mmCIF file with all atom_site columns, all heavy atoms in Angstrom:
data_model
loop_
_atom_site.group_PDB
_atom_site.id
_atom_site.type_symbol
_atom_site.label_atom_id
_atom_site.label_alt_id
_atom_site.label_comp_id
_atom_site.label_asym_id
_atom_site.label_entity_id
_atom_site.label_seq_id
_atom_site.pdbx_PDB_ins_code
_atom_site.Cartn_x
_atom_site.Cartn_y
_atom_site.Cartn_z
_atom_site.occupancy
_atom_site.B_iso_or_equiv
_atom_site.pdbx_formal_charge
_atom_site.auth_seq_id
_atom_site.auth_comp_id
_atom_site.auth_asym_id
_atom_site.auth_atom_id
_atom_site.pdbx_PDB_model_num
ATOM 1   N N   . TYR B 1 136 ? -73.007 -35.685 32.398 1.00 0.00 ? 136 TYR B N   1
ATOM 2   C CA  . TYR B 1 136 ? -71.572 -35.289 32.822 1.00 0.00 ? 136 TYR B CA  1
ATOM 3   C C   . TYR B 1 136 ? -71.388 -35.774 34.301 1.00 0.00 ? 136 TYR B C   1
ATOM 4   O O   . TYR B 1 136 ? -70.302 -36.251 34.555 1.00 0.00 ? 136 TYR B O   1
ATOM 5   C CB  . TYR B 1 136 ? -71.408 -33.791 32.704 1.00 0.00 ? 136 TYR B CB  1
ATOM 6   C CG  . TYR B 1 136 ? -71.612 -33.261 31.290 1.00 0.00 ? 136 TYR B CG  1
ATOM 7   C CD1 . TYR B 1 136 ? -72.268 -32.179 30.975 1.00 0.00 ? 136 TYR B CD1 1
ATOM 8   C CD2 . TYR B 1 136 ? -71.153 -34.033 30.166 1.00 0.00 ? 136 TYR B CD2 1
ATOM 9   C CE1 . TYR B 1 136 ? -72.519 -31.737 29.571 1.00 0.00 ? 136 TYR B CE1 1
ATOM 10  C CE2 . TYR B 1 136 ? -71.208 -33.608 28.887 1.00 0.00 ? 136 TYR B CE2 1
ATOM 11  C CZ  . TYR B 1 136 ? -71.929 -32.480 28.603 1.00 0.00 ? 136 TYR B CZ  1
ATOM 12  O OH  . TYR B 1 136 ? -72.184 -32.133 27.358 1.00 0.00 ? 136 TYR B OH  1
ATOM 13  N N   . ILE B 1 137 ? -72.352 -35.622 35.173 1.00 0.00 ? 137 ILE B N   1
ATOM 14  C CA  . ILE B 1 137 ? -72.217 -36.035 36.502 1.00 0.00 ? 137 ILE B CA  1
ATOM 15  C C   . ILE B 1 137 ? -71.925 -37.597 36.522 1.00 0.00 ? 137 ILE B C   1
ATOM 16  O O   . ILE B 1 137 ? -70.951 -37.996 37.183 1.00 0.00 ? 137 ILE B O   1
ATOM 17  C CB  . ILE B 1 137 ? -73.428 -35.748 37.323 1.00 0.00 ? 137 ILE B CB  1
ATOM 18  C CG1 . ILE B 1 137 ? -73.522 -34.203 37.501 1.00 0.00 ? 137 ILE B CG1 1
ATOM 19  C CG2 . ILE B 1 137 ? -73.300 -36.346 38.739 1.00 0.00 ? 137 ILE B CG2 1
ATOM 20  C CD1 . ILE B 1 137 ? -74.866 -33.674 38.108 1.00 0.00 ? 137 ILE B CD1 1
ATOM 21  N N   . VAL B 1 138 ? -72.663 -38.344 35.773 1.00 0.00 ? 138 VAL B N   1
ATOM 22  C CA  . VAL B 1 138 ? -72.564 -39.779 35.683 1.00 0.00 ? 138 VAL B CA  1
ATOM 23  C C   . VAL B 1 138 ? -71.188 -40.157 35.275 1.00 0.00 ? 138 VAL B C   1
ATOM 24  O O   . VAL B 1 138 ? -70.518 -41.006 35.736 1.00 0.00 ? 138 VAL B O   1
ATOM 25  C CB  . VAL B 1 138 ? -73.678 -40.476 34.819 1.00 0.00 ? 138 VAL B CB  1
ATOM 26  C CG1 . VAL B 1 138 ? -73.294 -41.821 34.499 1.00 0.00 ? 138 VAL B CG1 1
ATOM 27  C CG2 . VAL B 1 138 ? -74.926 -40.364 35.501 1.00 0.00 ? 138 VAL B CG2 1
ATOM 28  N N   . ALA B 1 139 ? -70.733 -39.354 34.160 1.00 0.00 ? 139 ALA B N   1
ATOM 29  C CA  . ALA B 1 139 ? -69.419 -39.685 33.568 1.00 0.00 ? 139 ALA B CA  1
ATOM 30  C C   . ALA B 1 139 ? -68.269 -39.486 34.665 1.00 0.00 ? 139 ALA B C   1
ATOM 31  O O   . ALA B 1 139 ? -67.453 -40.290 34.798 1.00 0.00 ? 139 ALA B O   1
ATOM 32  C CB  . ALA B 1 139 ? -69.111 -38.824 32.305 1.00 0.00 ? 139 ALA B CB  1
ATOM 33  N N   . VAL B 1 140 ? -68.345 -38.339 35.381 1.00 0.00 ? 140 VAL B N   1
ATOM 34  C CA  . VAL B 1 140 ? -67.348 -38.045 36.298 1.00 0.00 ? 140 VAL B CA  1
ATOM 35  C C   . VAL B 1 140 ? -67.308 -39.053 37.488 1.00 0.00 ? 140 VAL B C   1
ATOM 36  O O   . VAL B 1 140 ? -66.287 -39.541 37.879 1.00 0.00 ? 140 VAL B O   1
ATOM 37  C CB  . VAL B 1 140 ? -67.525 -36.526 36.869 1.00 0.00 ? 140 VAL B CB  1
ATOM 38  C CG1 . VAL B 1 140 ? -66.698 -36.239 38.000 1.00 0.00 ? 140 VAL B CG1 1
ATOM 39  C CG2 . VAL B 1 140 ? -67.232 -35.489 35.733 1.00 0.00 ? 140 VAL B CG2 1
ATOM 40  N N   . LEU B 1 141 ? -68.543 -39.205 37.949 1.00 0.00 ? 141 LEU B N   1
ATOM 41  C CA  . LEU B 1 141 ? -68.605 -40.215 39.090 1.00 0.00 ? 141 LEU B CA  1
ATOM 42  C C   . LEU B 1 141 ? -68.152 -41.585 38.699 1.00 0.00 ? 141 LEU B C   1
ATOM 43  O O   . LEU B 1 141 ? -67.558 -42.344 39.559 1.00 0.00 ? 141 LEU B O   1
ATOM 44  C CB  . LEU B 1 141 ? -70.036 -40.232 39.698 1.00 0.00 ? 141 LEU B CB  1
ATOM 45  C CG  . LEU B 1 141 ? -70.613 -39.032 40.423 1.00 0.00 ? 141 LEU B CG  1
ATOM 46  C CD1 . LEU B 1 141 ? -72.054 -39.238 40.855 1.00 0.00 ? 141 LEU B CD1 1
ATOM 47  C CD2 . LEU B 1 141 ? -69.716 -38.663 41.627 1.00 0.00 ? 141 LEU B CD2 1
ATOM 48  N N   . SER B 1 142 ? -68.449 -41.990 37.445 1.00 0.00 ? 142 SER B N   1
ATOM 49  C CA  . SER B 1 142 ? -68.058 -43.379 37.069 1.00 0.00 ? 142 SER B CA  1
ATOM 50  C C   . SER B 1 142 ? -66.504 -43.455 37.029 1.00 0.00 ? 142 SER B C   1
ATOM 51  O O   . SER B 1 142 ? -65.972 -44.462 37.476 1.00 0.00 ? 142 SER B O   1
ATOM 52  C CB  . SER B 1 142 ? -68.625 -43.636 35.687 1.00 0.00 ? 142 SER B CB  1
ATOM 53  O OG  . SER B 1 142 ? -69.986 -43.563 35.644 1.00 0.00 ? 142 SER B OG  1
ATOM 54  N N   . VAL B 1 143 ? -65.929 -42.371 36.524 1.00 0.00 ? 143 VAL B N   1
ATOM 55  C CA  . VAL B 1 143 ? -64.418 -42.497 36.437 1.00 0.00 ? 143 VAL B CA  1
ATOM 56  C C   . VAL B 1 143 ? -63.840 -42.418 37.764 1.00 0.00 ? 143 VAL B C   1
ATOM 57  O O   . VAL B 1 143 ? -62.935 -43.249 38.058 1.00 0.00 ? 143 VAL B O   1
ATOM 58  C CB  . VAL B 1 143 ? -63.964 -41.193 35.592 1.00 0.00 ? 143 VAL B CB  1
ATOM 59  C CG1 . VAL B 1 143 ? -62.395 -41.129 35.631 1.00 0.00 ? 143 VAL B CG1 1
ATOM 60  C CG2 . VAL B 1 143 ? -64.307 -41.324 34.054 1.00 0.00 ? 143 VAL B CG2 1
ATOM 61  N N   . VAL B 1 144 ? -64.335 -41.542 38.706 1.00 0.00 ? 144 VAL B N   1
ATOM 62  C CA  . VAL B 1 144 ? -63.836 -41.527 40.065 1.00 0.00 ? 144 VAL B CA  1
ATOM 63  C C   . VAL B 1 144 ? -64.029 -42.852 40.763 1.00 0.00 ? 144 VAL B C   1
ATOM 64  O O   . VAL B 1 144 ? -63.082 -43.480 41.336 1.00 0.00 ? 144 VAL B O   1
ATOM 65  C CB  . VAL B 1 144 ? -64.544 -40.391 40.836 1.00 0.00 ? 144 VAL B CB  1
ATOM 66  C CG1 . VAL B 1 144 ? -64.174 -40.447 42.329 1.00 0.00 ? 144 VAL B CG1 1
ATOM 67  C CG2 . VAL B 1 144 ? -64.134 -39.038 40.254 1.00 0.00 ? 144 VAL B CG2 1
ATOM 68  N N   . GLY B 1 145 ? -65.244 -43.469 40.610 1.00 0.00 ? 145 GLY B N   1
ATOM 69  C CA  . GLY B 1 145 ? -65.635 -44.779 41.183 1.00 0.00 ? 145 GLY B CA  1
ATOM 70  C C   . GLY B 1 145 ? -64.644 -45.821 40.657 1.00 0.00 ? 145 GLY B C   1
ATOM 71  O O   . GLY B 1 145 ? -64.175 -46.774 41.354 1.00 0.00 ? 145 GLY B O   1
ATOM 72  N N   . TRP B 1 146 ? -64.422 -45.687 39.354 1.00 0.00 ? 146 TRP B N   1
ATOM 73  C CA  . TRP B 1 146 ? -63.499 -46.676 38.727 1.00 0.00 ? 146 TRP B CA  1
ATOM 74  C C   . TRP B 1 146 ? -62.089 -46.697 39.267 1.00 0.00 ? 146 TRP B C   1
ATOM 75  O O   . TRP B 1 146 ? -61.486 -47.863 39.413 1.00 0.00 ? 146 TRP B O   1
ATOM 76  C CB  . TRP B 1 146 ? -63.594 -46.620 37.176 1.00 0.00 ? 146 TRP B CB  1
ATOM 77  C CG  . TRP B 1 146 ? -63.317 -47.881 36.435 1.00 0.00 ? 146 TRP B CG  1
ATOM 78  C CD1 . TRP B 1 146 ? -63.297 -49.126 36.945 1.00 0.00 ? 146 TRP B CD1 1
ATOM 79  C CD2 . TRP B 1 146 ? -63.056 -47.996 35.039 1.00 0.00 ? 146 TRP B CD2 1
ATOM 80  N NE1 . TRP B 1 146 ? -62.993 -50.024 35.935 1.00 0.00 ? 146 TRP B NE1 1
ATOM 81  C CE2 . TRP B 1 146 ? -62.866 -49.319 34.767 1.00 0.00 ? 146 TRP B CE2 1
ATOM 82  C CE3 . TRP B 1 146 ? -62.991 -46.965 34.050 1.00 0.00 ? 146 TRP B CE3 1
ATOM 83  C CZ2 . TRP B 1 146 ? -62.487 -49.745 33.480 1.00 0.00 ? 146 TRP B CZ2 1
ATOM 84  C CZ3 . TRP B 1 146 ? -62.560 -47.479 32.705 1.00 0.00 ? 146 TRP B CZ3 1
ATOM 85  C CH2 . TRP B 1 146 ? -62.438 -48.805 32.453 1.00 0.00 ? 146 TRP B CH2 1
ATOM 86  N N   . ILE B 1 147 ? -61.652 -45.435 39.418 1.00 0.00 ? 147 ILE B N   1
ATOM 87  C CA  . ILE B 1 147 ? -60.345 -45.290 39.845 1.00 0.00 ? 147 ILE B CA  1
ATOM 88  C C   . ILE B 1 147 ? -60.198 -45.952 41.366 1.00 0.00 ? 147 ILE B C   1
ATOM 89  O O   . ILE B 1 147 ? -59.268 -46.603 41.622 1.00 0.00 ? 147 ILE B O   1
ATOM 90  C CB  . ILE B 1 147 ? -59.870 -43.869 39.866 1.00 0.00 ? 147 ILE B CB  1
ATOM 91  C CG1 . ILE B 1 147 ? -59.698 -43.330 38.416 1.00 0.00 ? 147 ILE B CG1 1
ATOM 92  C CG2 . ILE B 1 147 ? -58.562 -43.547 40.626 1.00 0.00 ? 147 ILE B CG2 1
ATOM 93  C CD1 . ILE B 1 147 ? -59.565 -41.861 38.209 1.00 0.00 ? 147 ILE B CD1 1
ATOM 94  N N   . ILE B 1 148 ? -61.184 -45.580 42.114 1.00 0.00 ? 148 ILE B N   1
ATOM 95  C CA  . ILE B 1 148 ? -61.119 -46.134 43.545 1.00 0.00 ? 148 ILE B CA  1
ATOM 96  C C   . ILE B 1 148 ? -61.189 -47.532 43.544 1.00 0.00 ? 148 ILE B C   1
ATOM 97  O O   . ILE B 1 148 ? -60.505 -48.288 44.259 1.00 0.00 ? 148 ILE B O   1
ATOM 98  C CB  . ILE B 1 148 ? -62.319 -45.489 44.387 1.00 0.00 ? 148 ILE B CB  1
ATOM 99  C CG1 . ILE B 1 148 ? -62.071 -43.971 44.512 1.00 0.00 ? 148 ILE B CG1 1
ATOM 100 C CG2 . ILE B 1 148 ? -62.436 -46.216 45.721 1.00 0.00 ? 148 ILE B CG2 1
ATOM 101 C CD1 . ILE B 1 148 ? -63.293 -43.210 45.029 1.00 0.00 ? 148 ILE B CD1 1
ATOM 102 N N   . ALA B 1 149 ? -62.059 -48.152 42.690 1.00 0.00 ? 149 ALA B N   1
ATOM 103 C CA  . ALA B 1 149 ? -62.230 -49.595 42.452 1.00 0.00 ? 149 ALA B CA  1
ATOM 104 C C   . ALA B 1 149 ? -60.897 -50.209 42.036 1.00 0.00 ? 149 ALA B C   1
ATOM 105 O O   . ALA B 1 149 ? -60.401 -51.282 42.644 1.00 0.00 ? 149 ALA B O   1
ATOM 106 C CB  . ALA B 1 149 ? -63.278 -49.964 41.463 1.00 0.00 ? 149 ALA B CB  1
#
Side-chain angles (χ1 to χ4, degrees):
Chain B
Y136 301 134
I137 293 167
V138 166
V140 170
L141 288 181
S142 301
V143 171
V144 171
W146 204 14
I147 290 167
I148 293 168

